[in-house]
Amino acid sequence: MGQDFFSIKYFDKQFIYIDQTQLPLIEEYYTTDNYEQIAVAIEKLCIRGAPAIGISAAYAIALAFKNHNLLDNEYFENVSNRLASTRPTAVNLFWAIEQMKKVYYSLSKNDNVFDNLVNTAISIHNDDITKCNLIAKNGLPIFSNKCTVLTHCNTGKLATGGEGTALAVIKEAYKRNLVELVYVDETRPLLQGGRLTTYELKKEDIPFYMITDSMAAFVMKQKKVDLVIVGADRIAVNGDAANKVGSYNLAVICKYHNIPFYIAAPETTIDKNCKSENDIPIEERNKFEMNRIQNIKFTKSIYSVYNPSFDLIPHNLITGIITDKGLFNEPYNFNV
């Protein structure tokens, strides 16, 4: 069951990633040791998903010192700031950069800078693999009977360093005969559900239907959905969460139809500096993502566009938050 693939990998002092913008039609991997190429890949969504972005940034910082293997604070800060500028919403990015900073500024002139940084990046990657496995296990209690699940965007291998977050829960539940079918929102405007989640589910031989985002409410009204699981790019200490735009819609219609709405994310997605959704920055992206698909125009480029990449889900609409530390329910207080 399942066909092996990966989204990111470190091998022989090189970083390898699949270009997610071309999936599922073209599977193309790129190999680089250039931190700028990795930064651009993150910006262009060739690499995406909050945990994967953080891991990739860590490897990028390390590889910046592959041929510059000495302590150079100005250079380190320039590299770190470049990676930090790629995506503003996913807190995992900033968490990973901070881990790299702690290690770098603990080094002395006799230490091998590159080796220490790359070992830290590998550790961050391995830690995410462990976290994904724990999330999958901790999410099993939400299934009382064999269920039909709806998910949004992509939260599997392509978004993380391991098996995924929300999709890892779905995959683990399917293995245990707890999931019968998955409805996949296409996830406009960049179709991460229609292109990427379907790609992963097909690889795993898990049955699914792809639907447009606007069909979700009607599918719920027809009683075809038992629960919804999505990921998150940042979670406030009170349980408010930011996720791919369209997630708030799902939470609202789940509340109306009395359907459980869950979020799955590693603990590193919880931002202790964010008290509520009011503290979470929302990335706005280029209008060309809205007026074309795969560079094919379907409307006029001169039209004005509002393109927030994420929306905000109030904690009172979230049935439970699944992390590597366990399954949490209201009232959420991640400050303790």
Side-chain angles (χ1 to χ4, degrees):
M1 176 179 167
Q3 304 171 42
D4 194 32
F5 69 98
F6 65 90
S7 60
I8 53 176
K9 179 187 287 189
Y10 177 77
F11 179 74
D12 195 23
K13 298 183 179 181
Q14 299 278 334
F15 181 71
I16 309 167
Y17 63 93
I18 194 168
D19 182 356
Q20 297 191 36
T21 65
Q22 299 187 70
L23 291 174
L25 303 179
I26 300 172
E27 297 183 12
E28 186 167 6
Y29 286 90
Y30 290 86
T31 300
T32 185
D33 60 4
N34 185 300
Y35 79 87
E36 176 62 23
Q37 182 175 335
I38 298 171
V40 171
I42 293 170
E43 286 173 334
K44 291 185 174 181
L45 305 185
C46 302
I47 301 168
R48 47 146 298 281
I53 289 170
I55 296 163
S56 300
Y59 280 125
I61 292 171
L63 286 166
F65 285 84
K66 177 181 172 181
N67 300 311
H68 190 84
N69 197 7
L70 71 162
L71 290 175
D72 183 338
N73 292 357
E74 183 179 0
Y75 178 66
F76 179 85
E77 289 297 330
N78 287 340
V79 171
S80 297
N81 290 338
R82 173 67 184 100
L83 273 301
S85 71
T86 56
R87 302 289 304 275
T89 300
V91 73
N92 309 66
L93 168 65
F94 304 98
W95 176 85
I97 292 172
E98 188 60 32
Q99 302 311 302
M100 300 299 284
K101 282 187 176 183
K102 287 178 183 177
V103 170
Y104 174 81
Y105 284 110
S106 72
L107 300 176
S108 67
K109 64 180 181 179
N110 295 322
D111 291 322
N112 187 309
V113 179
F114 172 67
D115 283 352
N116 277 277
L117 289 177
V118 82
N119 286 336
T120 304
I122 291 170
S123 177
I124 290 171
H125 193 169
N126 288 337
D127 181 61
D128 190 62
I129 293 171
T130 300
K131 282 180 166 63
C132 287
N133 292 335
L134 289 170
I135 289 169
K137 177 183 176 183
N138 292 339
L140 291 175
I142 71 174
F143 300 91
S144 55
N145 299 297
K146 198 167 186 177
C147 295
T148 296
V149 183
L150 188 147
T151 192
H152 188 71
C153 197
N154 173 261
T155 56
K157 276 188 179 183
L158 293 170
T160 66
E163 288 296 319
T165 54
L167 202 56
V169 175
I170 292 169
K171 288 188 287 187
E172 187 64 27
Y174 181 77
K175 290 176 185 176
R176 297 170 184 257
N177 203 34
L178 293 170
V179 168
E180 182 174 5
L181 178 72
V182 182
Y183 280 95
V184 181
D185 272 357
E186 62 174 356
T187 318
R188 282 285 291 146
L190 292 178
L191 306 173
Q192 293 98 326
R195 295 187 302 105
L196 306 180
T197 298
T198 54
Y199 173 82
E200 292 203 41
L201 291 173
K202 186 65 176 177
K203 292 276 189 184
E204 297 287 342
D205 295 323
I206 298 176
F208 65 87
Y209 284 123
M210 181 177 70
I211 60 173
T212 66
D213 299 0
S214 57
M215 292 176 185
F218 187 57
V219 172
M220 290 182 190
K221 184 178 182 180
Q222 293 178 311
K223 301 188 183 301
K224 292 184 176 181
V225 175
D226 298 306
L227 58 90
V228 171
I229 315 175
V230 302
D233 287 75
R234 193 179 298 221
I235 299 172
V237 294
N238 72 337
D240 294 346
N243 194 48
K244 182 57 59 182
V245 69
S247 300
Y248 176 56
N249 300 39
L250 288 175
V252 170
I253 58 179
C254 278
K255 192 76 169 180
Y256 180 82
H257 290 98
N258 198 30
I259 294 171
F261 178 92
Y262 292 95
I263 281 177
E267 187 189 30
T268 50
T269 303
I270 301 167
D271 188 347
K272 299 297 180 67
N273 295 315
C274 288
K275 294 181 180 180
S276 72
E277 63 176 43
N278 297 325
D279 301 319
I280 301 177
I282 297 299
E283 175 185 6
E284 289 187 35
R285 293 184 61 83
N286 195 294
K287 71 176 184 178
F288 296 118
E289 294 180 349
M290 289 279 288
N291 57 33
R292 64 189 68 189
I293 296 177
Q294 299 290 65
N295 291 321
I296 299 174
K297 291 183 182 179
F298 64 87
T299 191
K300 292 186 177 181
S301 299
I302 61 169
Y303 292 166
S304 298
V305 164
Y306 176 50
N307 185 21
S309 191
F310 303 91
D311 59 22
L312 298 164
I313 310 157
H315 60 88
N316 62 315
L317 297 181
I318 301 170
T319 307
I321 298 176
I322 307 159
T323 78
D324 48 294
K325 300 298 184 181
L327 170 60
F328 299 88
N329 303 103
E330 276 213 281
Y332 304 108
N333 183 7
F334 292 114
N335 229 350
V336 296

